[in-house]
Amino acid sequence: MSADSAPINLTNHFLIAMPGLSDELFGRSVVFMCEHSERGALGLVINKPSDILLPRLFEKVDLALGREDLVNQPVFQGGPVQTERGFVLHDAIDAGEGETVYASTLSIPGGLEMTTSRDVLEAMSSGAGPRRVFVTLGYASWGQGQLESEITENSWLTVEADPSVIFDAPVEQRYERAMALLGLQPWMLSPDAGHA
């Protein structure tokens, strides 16, 4: 990055895979960026469901899912890092004075939080917890400068995130809905990067 260019911060943005990205996990993926700084980036893939539903995940951690609204919700493949660990993306819950309710929570500008501690699952087990939740196993991460390099190589489009794409859009429509935030449809883009 040149000295005169400002660093980019893609926290609370979607990364949308370009059609030419053929990676098994990241091809046609939409990644919600939870954190992005000069040290690197962390995000959750929002459109790659696993074959596990939430009640099964709760069984694995010796809890019962106490929320009827979530019994048919899949657990998603959030990325290739720490695939045995759960990540819960949810609406922000303010405990007052800017504190979070759960033990291990990252507050994301824009109104969402990502929690990795068991207490959020315990709240959901008792029938409470955040109203809107999105659960993944694993996450995606990039080292210092790696994401910026991939964007320069035409692997990703970026757009400010819209939580309705995460929580309300059918899984099979999330890629197109994220593209539509840019006024694009996948067929408009060439799978090949152009070089002058």
Side-chain angles (χ1 to χ4, degrees):
M1 195 180 310
S2 65
D4 59 345
S5 65
I8 58 172
N9 183 342
L10 296 174
T11 302
N12 193 37
H13 279 66
F14 288 141
L15 291 184
I16 307 165
M18 286 291 285
L21 189 61
S22 59
D23 179 89
E24 185 177 332
L25 178 63
F26 290 115
R28 285 189 58 87
S29 69
V30 180
V31 182
F32 174 74
M33 298 305 297
C34 300
E35 189 173 42
H36 184 214
S37 70
E38 66 281 348
R39 294 185 314 276
L42 180 149
L44 301 173
V45 178
I46 65 162
N47 64 331
K48 303 283 180 162
S50 72
D51 55 2
I52 302 170
L53 294 180
L54 274 181
R56 178 76 182 112
L57 176 71
F58 273 70
E59 284 173 24
K60 287 184 176 208
V61 294
D62 298 321
L63 292 171
L65 178 59
R67 296 265 305 269
E68 283 298 315
D69 59 319
L70 301 176
V71 294
N72 293 316
Q73 184 170 312
V75 175
F76 285 76
Q77 301 170 52
V81 182
Q82 292 190 0
T83 55
E84 71 293 337
R85 188 166 177 202
F87 297 83
V88 182
L89 186 65
H90 57 85
D91 290 314
I93 300 176
D94 190 358
E97 299 181 28
E99 294 296 313
T100 58
V101 172
Y102 304 112
S104 184
T105 297
L106 171 68
S107 292
I108 303 163
L112 297 180
E113 294 178 338
M114 182 189 65
T115 299
T116 57
S117 49
R118 182 181 169 95
D119 51 358
V120 70
L121 299 179
E122 291 169 346
M124 292 161 63
S125 177
S126 71
R131 184 178 68 82
R132 298 188 303 179
V133 297
F134 174 84
V135 181
T136 74
L137 289 174
Y139 66 93
S141 70
W142 292 263
Q144 182 177 4
Q146 183 182 4
L147 180 57
E148 292 82 350
S149 176
E150 289 182 16
I151 291 170
T152 302
E153 293 164 0
N154 206 33
S155 295
W156 301 100
L157 293 170
T158 63
V159 65
E160 189 170 339
D162 177 348
S164 71
V165 175
I166 302 167
F167 298 112
D168 304 326
V171 174
E172 64 278 1
Q173 294 178 16
R174 291 179 186 172
Y175 184 74
E176 286 76 12
R177 294 255 185 114
M179 282 265 189
L181 294 172
L182 290 166
L184 297 172
Q185 294 179 17
W187 61 264
M188 298 171 147
L189 301 171
S190 168
D192 304 310
H195 298 285

